[in-house]
Amino acid sequence: MFDFDSDVEPAYIGGDLDSKQPAPASQVVTKHTQVLLTPNEEALVREQLARHYAFFGEKGMAQVRDSFVVVVGAGGVGSWAAMMLLRSGVQRIRIIDFDQVTLSSLNRHAAATRANVGIPKVTALKMNFAEIAPHARVEACSSLFSAENAPDLLAGEPDYVLDCIDNMDTKLELLAYCSHNSIQVISAMGAGMKSDPSRVQIADISDTFEDPMSRTVRRRLKMLGIQSGVKVVYSIEKPGKVQLLSLADSQKESPGDFSVLPDFRVRIVPVLGTMPAMFGIAMGTHVLTELASFPTEPLATKGRHALYVRLMRDLGNREQRRSQAEGGAQLQMNTDDCGYVLEEIWHGKSALS
């Protein structure tokens, strides 16, 4: 098995860097890792999950608790997704991220505190998770995902992989690996520079629109032979309200020297801390319903009311002409009906396309 911690220094518990007490190494977690509970512990867990048992039922919760999930990226999106999966009953989780907690992480990270600044994000999450669900098996991997280590980092028969990576090339490597190996995956598009929670949606990558990052991912996946089959959480909020922060004068001459890693973004993305949480919780909710075999049908709100009005006007004029020429009642439809026919029956396409 890949040595996840070979390239990083030991993590220290509780932010006490002077004590030099290394965090215990993460044991490898797989689909078949045993979670053993005493009768008293099981009673506590079932009480803790009582509302979810009421929602999903015994069978659904058995599937959730028997699952194994991998979350790649433990920042603002990934930390919330992993947190809610754990709180909802997932007992086997692997979290992968190479980065450390910084002060600027605290506006959006689900678990990190000031005491965690300087330690790996995955370690901060694992420490917090032990307080919420001490019976859960959590593997914290301080590693940078890549195509080369994908077979090791995604080993263990995961039921679902959550892509919470913000680097485009690495994201594509993960999605391509999952697609080519028939691993269920859901991917987060950009939550940075977004502010409208009503615009967050879930869709297949082939059905996304308005979002520049989704468009880039869709185009590059097509180049890899992947047309569809990748669920994404994205926002249809139109870009342009805020911009990437400018480089300092001292950085402009050789901007690559200031990147965390080669080929990683240098300029800082403004982030409203609530938006990554919404993306992560949306991802977690979708994964939970899939694990529990609880059917949902994500419905895209495309903001095309003006189109529906025009269709309704054209249809009304045509029906009026037909009624005058042939007699008989006109078709009774309103604007909402036109929108339903276009989106739900014709899937947003014309009869020709």
Side-chain angles (χ1 to χ4, degrees):
M1 186 70 177
F2 185 84
D3 181 7
F4 297 119
D5 297 314
S6 59
D7 298 326
V8 296
E9 295 182 0
Y12 296 94
I13 295 177
D16 185 5
L17 301 181
D18 295 330
S19 68
K20 300 299 181 184
Q21 294 296 319
S26 277
Q27 294 184 342
V28 173
V29 176
T30 73
K31 172 72 173 177
H32 305 291
T33 298
Q34 286 189 316
V35 180
L36 301 176
L37 297 173
T38 67
N40 285 341
E41 289 171 334
E42 175 65 18
L44 286 173
V45 171
R46 291 183 69 89
E47 178 62 25
Q48 188 171 336
L49 299 172
R51 301 301 175 90
H52 281 85
Y53 270 99
F55 197 95
F56 288 134
E58 288 287 340
K59 182 179 178 181
M61 280 306 298
Q63 293 172 184
V64 170
R65 293 182 64 183
D66 286 342
S67 65
F68 168 47
V69 172
V70 177
V71 180
V72 188
V77 175
S79 63
W80 279 101
M83 170 77 77
M84 295 314 299
L85 289 172
L86 178 93
R87 287 186 180 275
S88 300
V90 175
Q91 299 179 140
R92 300 169 188 84
I93 301 178
R94 179 182 299 151
I95 316 166
I96 303 166
D97 200 308
F98 72 96
D99 206 1
Q100 297 179 330
V101 176
T102 64
L103 273 174
S104 64
S105 305
L106 303 188
N107 83 316
R108 58 195 182 277
H109 198 274
T113 66
R114 283 193 177 187
N116 299 141
V117 170
I119 70 172
K121 291 178 179 178
V122 294
T123 303
L125 276 175
K126 183 173 181 177
M127 291 162 51
N128 183 266
F129 286 6
E131 298 294 321
I132 299 168
H135 65 284
R137 299 295 180 258
V138 180
E139 182 181 356
C141 303
S142 295
S143 182
L144 175 65
F145 183 89
S146 68
E148 289 72 28
N149 61 23
D152 296 309
L153 290 178
L154 300 183
E157 302 177 41
D159 294 288
Y160 235 105
V161 170
L162 286 79
D163 161 35
C164 307
I165 300 172
D166 57 8
N167 176 266
M168 181 61 71
D169 291 338
T170 311
K171 177 180 291 290
L172 288 163
E173 289 175 347
L174 171 60
L175 296 179
Y177 183 88
C178 289
S179 180
H180 293 151
N181 289 275
S182 300
I183 300 174
Q184 289 260 67
V185 64
I186 184 169
S187 177
M189 300 292 103
M193 301 190 291
K194 309 288 187 182
S195 61
D196 188 347
S198 69
R199 306 281 179 167
V200 179
Q201 304 203 22
I202 299 175
D204 189 274
I205 186 64
S206 61
D207 294 328
T208 55
F209 62 99
E210 293 288 1
D211 180 43
M213 186 173 182
S214 298
R215 183 166 55 249
T216 300
V217 171
R218 184 174 63 246
R219 176 177 54 81
R220 292 185 61 177
L221 283 177
K222 283 184 179 179
M223 295 170 63
L224 299 173
I226 302 168
Q227 300 280 347
S228 61
V230 176
K231 290 285 180 65
V232 299
V233 176
Y234 75 110
S235 171
I236 62 171
E237 182 177 353
K238 293 184 182 298
K241 293 180 181 178
V242 293
Q243 305 295 330
L244 291 171
L245 299 188
S246 300
L247 294 173
D249 291 339
S250 60
Q251 296 176 312
K252 291 179 179 178
E253 185 173 345
S254 301
D257 295 342
F258 297 91
S259 178
V260 176
L261 290 170
D263 301 322
F264 271 57
R265 182 184 60 240
V266 179
R267 296 173 67 187
I268 296 174
V269 176
V271 180
L272 187 62
T274 52
M275 294 304 292
M278 291 194 66
F279 274 58
I281 292 173
M283 294 178 80
T285 302
H286 182 78
V287 171
L288 279 173
T289 57
E290 292 276 294
L291 294 174
S293 301
F294 189 89
T296 60
E297 297 180 10
L299 177 63
T301 303
K302 298 190 175 182
R304 302 203 287 197
H305 183 73
L307 172 61
Y308 307 152
V309 170
R310 187 169 72 251
L311 286 173
M312 181 65 220
R313 184 181 63 245
D314 294 343
L315 179 61
N317 291 337
R318 189 191 70 183
E319 287 296 301
Q320 184 177 23
R321 290 195 299 270
R322 185 192 65 81
S323 178
Q324 290 173 349
E326 303 175 11
Q330 296 187 36
L331 182 64
Q332 298 298 313
M333 292 182 67
N334 58 31
T335 303
D336 291 338
D337 295 331
C338 285
Y340 179 86
V341 170
L342 175 65
E343 306 295 357
E344 296 300 304
I345 297 177
W346 291 98
H347 300 291
K349 299 180 174 61
S350 73
L352 297 177
S353 61

